[in-house]
Amino acid sequence: MDQQQGPPEPRPAGPATHPQPKEGTLWGFFAILSLLAGLATGTLRTPHCNETLDAAPTPRSTATASLSVEDGVEAPLTAGWSQLYGDNATTGGPGTAELAEDLLLRAERSPPGASKAKKTVWKSSRGTRGRNCHIRNLMVKALHQLYYDPNIENKNLAQKWLMQAQVSPQAWHFSWLLLHMDKVPEIQYFGASALHIKISRYWNDIPADQYESLKSQLFTHITRFASGSKIVLTRLCVALASLALSMMPEAWPCAVADMVRVFQAEDSNVDGRARCLALLELLTVLPEEFQTSRLPQYRKGQVRSVLAQECGSVFPLLEQLLQQRDSPGFIKQKVLKCFSSWVQLEIPLMDCENLIQAAFTSLQDPELFDTAVEAVVNAISQPDAQRYVNTLLKLIPPVLGLQEQLRQAVQSGDMETSHGICRIAVALGENHSRALLDQVEHWQSFLALVNMIMFCTGIPGHYPVNETTSSLTLTFWYTLQDDILSFEPDKQAVYQQVYRPVYFQLVDVLLHKAQFPSDEEYGFWSSDEKEQFRIYRVDISDTLMYVYEMLGAELLSSLYDKLGRLLTNTEQPSTWQHTEALLYGFQSIAETIDVNYSDVVPGLIGLIPRISISNVQLADTVMFTIGSLSEWLADHPVMINNVLPLVLQALGNPELSISSVSTLKKICRECKYDLPPYAANIVAVSQEVLMKQIHKTSQCMWLMQALGFLLSALQVEEILKNLHSLITPYIQQLEKLADETPNPSNRLAIIHILGLLSNLFTTLDISHHDDDHESTEVKKLPVQQGPNPVVVVLQQVFQLIQKVLSKWLNDAQVVESVCAIFEKSVKTLLDDFAPMVPQLCEMLGQMYSTIPQVSAIELTRQLVHIFAHEPAHFPPIKALFLLVTSVTLTLFQQGSEKEARPLPV
């Protein structure tokens, strides 16, 4: 095969028009040319007669009349070439401007007329050999500049010029020149790519009487390149495939049969093996080109139907090549790729049966394994395949026959083979579970397939380090369960009897797969592997939650019994991984399923304190499990004391930051009316960890929200007392920062303190506006009289906030943090915020008049929305609204953007 050392890879310019195989180091350069081809018609607005690519086909007379080159094309290309090389540059012939004209102008510039339609638009005239030489030189020089010129501006100019040249009418001429066999593959590929673009995008340029000539030339060049550069051959095949799709069925009714006949003819100078490979390449890219073609929808339906009928000319040939003993491996690989391409045209499954069986046989050949897997999976994954139940039933035995090969692959650590076989089993089961379940007389064979998929789910090793197969199976279990539960009650009961034991086994398998590796092994995992394992566990969690729909409360009982035996068996101590996995299963269900009426939760709450926590992962899961039971704890407050000490103890561990803080927040939100006896302890522990700065900023904000929920259930005097001890250190720190000269370090400290206050006030609500659960209405404290504690605190710190603003008014983030305190307080307190309205409106007006900020407008909108309808607050709200409107309109009129952030529409 013709190989050429390629130049350094240019920058990609857009999506490739068609996927191509690699050919050594040249592929990078061929890819960029394909990218250029893809961009040419999608991004450049070249004033060309076929500028609108998606427009409906024009009448043939219009297309014929538009074949002459418009003046609008000449100018940009000539100017581009002049900019690239200069007006006086030479290429061994006439001046550059003249050569650019040679490229842009037609070989003959006769005026448009009746004879114009008979002129060949894609073929160079024989009398222009000198001019063609200049055109060819121009293209070669531009391509050389694109690849090799170190100057990035020159590369960009060459790229732009080549893209314009590819879509120009003259591309019909230079494409053939660049395909001469004396050219390097980069040049040839560009010519073949330009041909494909002209055929696929500018089909209406070609008069109907030239179809046959163009077809013949493409056949000739494909035959010529059959023994040449493979990447150029592929691109020429794509061009011929595009031509066939545009011509069939009217102009070329038996396109595929003709292709087979032409390449099977023995009068060619090319040897049979090369012709065979060229034919297979052409037959492979034909369906792929159809999938990406821009044919109108009605034409796509016609062409798809024709191609489906033409498979009768393709499949016998493929079967013959696969069955021939002397067929080399690379031929069989091409056959399987070709078959894989054709089945995606929704060919009836029964027509594919022989080739599918041949593909199963090919799975025993390591060289053909991957390609055979792809072919089988594509064939049995067709949406229409479920109509052919008998053929599907015939496929179960060969799939089950792969089990021994699968076991050997697992034992030898051959991840690729086990992955491929699993894909086949899952494709059959997942796509056709309903159709196969309906075949009651074959229930045992389908159950055997389900058990094979179960083996794939529980494949030994830790995902993703030791295996990558088990994740493929999870969707199958969703699908199978949905199909079983969709049957009418009587039939569903029968299937439940068969498959409930299977799903209990699945739970055991999933919990085993969710177990962490040993501490030593886990320490060697990369951060990427740990993240993939985390996502994998989330997928397992979702599957367990879904399985609960089939297994119900019996699943929780099973998990509880296993955990109880594990924690109470002193003779055989278990690993922390086993305990953690069982808790993780329970947590997965409790997070989304209402377990308030489960009779095993009290026992679980009693077991949790008995867990010996010596590992971060186990501690995390314990915390998340407690959090998932927070609603149950609200209905059973006597059990709170069993778990709350564990949560408060975990708050002091930075490694448990997310799990412990989020769990405390859930408990404080759901159980706040039962927490007053524990409030002092919770506040003290929280204040300690906040002052020690154990947690990151986001967790500190969550903790403040948790305290807001907690304080909301206390008496006003208790709230004020706790607020004083909680926020006084921060107020003192803020006073100190307000006296300092602004700098980046104290800026971050100010924003952090303001954030803590705003998050505290987000959830501190003594009027209980957010209580909407009937179960909490009984416990709900009476609305307390007197000033709201949040308002009291805001009035006390208002002058300090103004002082901070006076120094940081030009810092949008500080201003935003200040506004957030009041905005969140307004949203939480609603009418209770009323005492703050006059002074806040005055401060907002001063802020916005000095330096308009978007956060000030957001806060103004909240105030207007809540208080504008109340007569007592109308005057300050009206004054603020008029001021903000006036300042904003002035900004718009002046067109000034200085010192102002973008304003919302």
Side-chain angles (χ1 to χ4, degrees):
M1 183 175 61
D2 187 15
Q3 288 253 352
Q4 181 88 7
Q5 181 63 35
E9 183 175 355
R11 295 177 303 148
T17 350
H18 193 81
Q20 302 295 340
K22 295 187 178 180
E23 186 185 44
T25 57
L26 289 177
W27 168 236
F29 318 117
F30 296 136
I32 186 61
L33 293 176
S34 183
L35 296 175
L36 295 179
L39 262 184
T41 54
T43 57
L44 289 181
R45 302 295 297 167
T46 306
H48 187 273
C49 59
N50 286 307
E51 181 177 54
T52 307
L53 301 180
D54 292 321
T58 57
R60 180 58 56 193
S61 58
T62 306
T64 304
S66 68
L67 294 179
S68 62
V69 181
E70 301 290 344
D71 291 339
V73 182
E74 300 176 27
L77 286 182
T78 307
W81 188 262
S82 177
Q83 187 179 8
L84 189 58
Y85 293 113
D87 290 331
N88 299 320
T90 60
T91 59
T96 302
E98 180 183 347
L99 296 180
E101 287 187 25
D102 281 338
L103 176 65
L104 299 172
L105 301 179
R106 297 185 49 76
E108 298 181 30
R109 293 293 303 269
S110 57
S115 62
K116 195 91 170 191
K118 305 222 180 246
K119 217 171 258 298
T120 302
V121 301
W122 51 267
K123 188 176 179 181
S124 298
S125 299
R126 293 182 178 179
T128 57
R129 185 178 302 274
R131 179 178 288 117
N132 290 343
C133 181
H134 297 325
I135 293 173
R136 185 172 58 208
N137 289 341
L138 279 175
M139 301 304 301
V140 171
K141 186 167 184 178
L143 288 166
H144 186 276
Q145 182 136 351
L146 174 67
Y147 290 132
Y148 298 110
D149 196 315
N151 188 305
I152 193 64
E153 292 185 5
N154 287 348
K155 282 181 177 289
N156 290 338
L157 285 172
Q159 175 174 301
K160 182 178 180 180
W161 188 86
L162 286 166
M163 290 165 63
Q164 290 176 315
Q166 262 193 326
V167 298
S168 70
Q170 202 65 16
W172 289 114
H173 300 273
F174 70 69
S175 297
W176 303 106
L177 300 176
L178 299 180
L179 284 169
H180 285 181
M181 299 304 291
D182 60 342
K183 295 292 178 287
V184 295
E186 298 99 317
I187 306 298
Q188 295 168 339
Y189 180 84
F190 185 85
S193 183
L195 271 178
H196 171 244
I197 286 203
K198 297 303 291 183
I199 293 171
S200 61
R201 313 299 175 116
Y202 302 118
W203 176 248
N204 291 324
D205 279 2
I206 312 172
D209 61 354
Q210 295 181 21
Y211 290 170
E212 290 300 321
S213 180
L214 178 55
K215 183 204 317 180
S216 175
Q217 284 294 315
L218 283 170
F219 270 125
T220 300
H221 277 75
I222 289 174
T223 303
R224 190 175 298 159
F225 276 90
S227 301
S229 172
K230 185 177 179 182
I231 198 71
V232 180
L233 170 66
T234 298
R235 207 65 190 159
L236 286 170
C237 289
V238 172
L240 180 56
S242 182
L243 177 78
L245 295 174
S246 298
M247 291 177 65
M248 64 174 59
E250 294 87 0
W252 197 359
C254 301
V256 178
D258 288 349
M259 292 175 185
V260 174
R261 177 182 51 78
V262 167
F263 284 97
Q264 283 184 330
E266 297 184 0
D267 55 353
S268 171
N269 294 327
V270 182
D271 69 88
R273 182 170 294 181
R275 282 187 286 111
C276 180
L277 285 172
L279 174 59
L280 289 173
E281 184 68 21
L282 178 57
L283 294 177
T284 301
V285 301
L286 180 60
E288 294 171 355
E289 181 68 8
F290 170 78
Q291 302 290 356
T292 58
S293 67
R294 298 190 178 189
L295 293 173
Q297 200 60 39
Y298 78 95
R299 286 272 297 129
K300 271 212 164 186
Q302 291 178 344
V303 174
R304 184 190 295 275
S305 177
V306 171
L307 287 174
Q309 295 172 8
E310 293 256 43
C311 75
S313 301
V314 178
F315 285 8
L317 171 66
L318 301 184
E319 292 175 26
Q320 180 184 356
L321 290 173
L322 278 179
Q323 293 168 1
Q324 285 180 356
R325 294 185 178 180
D326 58 344
S327 290
F330 62 89
I331 291 285
K332 291 183 177 181
Q333 195 168 61
K334 289 294 297 181
V335 169
L336 291 169
K337 286 181 179 179
C338 183
F339 172 57
S340 183
S341 177
W342 274 81
V343 294
Q344 297 181 64
L345 293 174
E346 299 179 12
I347 309 296
L349 189 64
M350 59 184 180
D351 294 341
C352 306
E353 187 175 334
N354 291 339
L355 280 170
I356 294 176
Q357 296 293 344
F360 272 108
T361 303
S362 300
L363 291 170
Q364 305 303 318
D365 186 340
E367 184 182 354
L368 303 177
F369 181 83
D370 291 339
T371 313
V373 167
E374 206 65 37
V376 172
V377 169
N378 286 339
I380 62 182
S381 299
Q382 298 177 66
D384 197 45
Q386 58 189 352
R387 294 171 49 198
Y388 307 97
V389 178
N390 290 333
T391 304
L392 290 174
L393 291 172
K394 292 179 184 178
L395 294 178
I396 294 180
V399 173
L400 296 178
L402 298 173
Q403 291 183 91
E404 183 57 35
Q405 187 178 357
L406 173 61
R407 290 191 183 92
Q408 291 177 2
V410 170
Q411 291 174 2
S412 63
D414 185 352
M415 295 171 61
E416 288 76 14
T417 298
S418 58
H419 191 89
I421 294 175
C422 176
R423 283 187 62 199
I424 293 174
V426 170
L428 181 58
E430 186 176 317
N431 288 288
H432 308 296
S433 62
R434 179 58 188 253
L436 295 173
L437 282 169
D438 277 329
Q439 310 308 307
V440 180
E441 64 276 14
H442 297 280
W443 69 273
Q444 289 179 314
S445 62
F446 182 62
L447 182 59
L449 177 65
V450 171
N451 287 327
M452 180 179 177
I453 296 175
M454 180 74 75
F455 177 84
C456 295
T457 304
I459 198 166
H462 290 288
Y463 182 95
V465 176
N466 309 117
E467 60 92 8
T468 56
T469 298
S470 57
S471 61
L472 300 176
T473 66
L474 298 181
T475 307
F476 164 76
W477 299 109
Y478 287 83
T479 305
L480 178 61
Q481 177 177 311
D482 284 344
D483 289 335
I484 291 174
L485 297 181
S486 68
F487 286 119
E488 58 275 11
D490 292 344
K491 196 171 183 179
Q492 183 184 137
V494 174
Y495 281 109
Q496 286 259 22
Q497 187 176 0
V498 175
Y499 286 98
R500 276 176 65 87
V502 174
Y503 272 86
F504 274 112
Q505 180 187 355
L506 174 65
V507 171
D508 291 339
V509 169
L510 291 177
L511 292 179
H512 180 74
K513 294 297 294 182
Q515 288 186 22
F516 281 89
S518 66
D519 295 335
E520 182 180 2
E521 182 182 350
Y522 193 65
F524 286 105
W525 284 21
S526 67
S527 57
D528 183 58
E529 289 168 341
K530 291 179 179 178
E531 176 62 13
Q532 288 185 56
F533 182 61
R534 184 194 68 80
I535 296 172
Y536 176 66
R537 279 170 52 96
V538 171
D539 292 339
I540 288 178
S541 174
D542 293 341
T543 307
L544 290 171
M545 178 269 296
Y546 206 74
V547 167
Y548 181 84
E549 185 178 355
M550 174 174 276
L551 302 182
E554 193 177 343
L555 173 57
L556 291 179
S557 299
S558 173
L559 293 175
Y560 171 69
D561 291 342
K562 290 175 182 176
L563 183 62
R565 289 195 298 270
L566 204 64
L567 296 177
T568 56
N569 188 348
T570 57
E571 295 180 1
Q572 293 182 340
S574 62
T575 62
W576 69 263
Q577 288 93 340
H578 198 174
T579 303
E580 190 276 338
L582 287 169
L583 277 177
Y584 185 71
F586 212 108
Q587 169 211 329
S588 301
I589 298 167
E591 277 184 337
T592 51
I593 305 296
D594 183 6
V595 296
N596 285 358
Y597 302 102
S598 171
D599 56 358
V600 303
V601 176
L604 176 65
I605 295 291
L607 284 176
I608 286 178
R610 302 184 59 169
I611 298 174
S612 177
I613 301 177
S614 57
N615 180 276
V616 172
Q617 285 85 12
L618 176 58
D620 258 334
T621 302
V622 169
M623 288 297 106
F624 285 127
T625 303
I626 294 172
S628 69
L629 298 172
S630 57
E631 291 185 23
W632 185 92
L633 289 170
D635 292 336
H636 306 81
V638 69
M639 304 297 289
I640 291 176
N641 194 44
N642 282 43
V643 294
L644 185 59
L646 292 175
V647 178
L648 296 181
Q649 182 181 359
L651 278 181
N653 187 343
E655 292 184 297
L656 303 177
S657 180
I658 294 177
S659 60
S660 61
V661 174
S662 65
T663 297
L664 180 63
K665 180 181 172 182
K666 287 180 179 180
I667 292 175
C668 290
R669 182 183 63 214
E670 302 297 336
C671 310
K672 59 185 175 184
Y673 298 110
D674 301 298
L675 293 180
Y678 313 101
N681 192 23
I682 294 173
V683 172
V685 173
S686 300
Q687 188 171 0
E688 181 182 359
V689 299
L690 284 170
M691 297 310 297
K692 289 182 178 179
Q693 299 181 350
I694 290 175
H695 303 295
K696 294 181 180 179
T697 299
S698 56
Q699 280 72 58
C700 290
M701 304 305 162
W702 294 355
L703 191 51
M704 278 299 200
Q705 291 177 21
L707 294 174
F709 285 124
L710 173 71
L711 297 180
S712 298
L714 303 181
Q715 295 295 325
V716 172
E717 296 79 7
E718 287 295 314
I719 295 175
L720 290 172
K721 177 182 175 181
N722 282 285
L723 281 177
H724 178 75
S725 64
L726 182 63
I727 67 175
T728 295
Y730 295 109
I731 299 302
Q732 293 173 347
Q733 186 180 358
L734 190 61
E735 288 175 341
K736 180 180 178 182
L737 292 169
D739 291 331
E740 296 178 359
T741 304
N743 62 71
S745 61
N746 57 27
R747 172 181 177 272
L748 293 177
I750 289 172
I751 292 172
H752 179 74
I753 294 172
L754 295 175
L756 292 175
L757 294 177
S758 64
N759 277 275
L760 176 64
F761 298 155
T762 297
T763 55
L764 207 171
D765 177 21
I766 64 171
S767 298
H768 318 296
H769 294 104
D770 289 336
D771 287 339
D772 55 0
H773 302 293
E774 293 183 3
S775 60
T776 61
E777 291 296 328
V778 179
K779 304 177 183 179
K780 190 173 179 179
L781 298 176
V783 176
Q784 304 181 44
Q785 303 300 319
N788 190 288
V790 173
V791 174
V792 172
V793 172
L794 287 176
Q795 288 174 331
Q796 291 175 352
V797 301
F798 195 79
Q799 288 186 342
L800 175 59
I801 291 175
Q802 287 180 310
K803 185 177 181 181
V804 171
L805 278 176
S806 66
K807 288 191 174 183
W808 292 92
L809 191 57
N810 62 343
D811 189 297
Q813 197 168 357
V814 173
V815 173
E816 185 177 342
S817 299
V818 168
C819 291
I821 293 178
F822 296 103
E823 185 178 356
K824 292 181 178 180
S825 299
V826 169
K827 288 180 179 179
T828 303
L829 303 182
L830 301 177
D831 294 338
D832 293 346
F833 189 80
M836 291 293 301
V837 171
Q839 58 193 125
L840 180 57
C841 287
E842 182 181 358
M843 186 185 80
L844 272 176
Q846 294 172 353
M847 285 170 51
Y848 199 76
S849 299
T850 308
I851 301 178
Q853 301 275 10
V854 67
S855 53
I857 287 189
E858 293 290 342
L859 180 53
T860 301
R861 183 170 62 179
Q862 286 293 330
L863 291 173
V864 171
H865 177 68
I866 295 174
F867 295 105
H869 67 285
E870 297 185 13
H873 302 299
F874 187 74
I877 294 292
K878 177 183 177 182
L880 174 62
F881 180 77
L882 292 175
L883 186 148
V884 169
T885 303
S886 174
V887 171
T888 304
L889 289 176
T890 301
L891 284 175
F892 287 161
Q893 291 168 357
Q894 295 175 349
S896 172
E897 297 182 355
K898 61 182 180 179
E899 296 182 337
R901 295 180 61 188
L903 299 175
V905 179

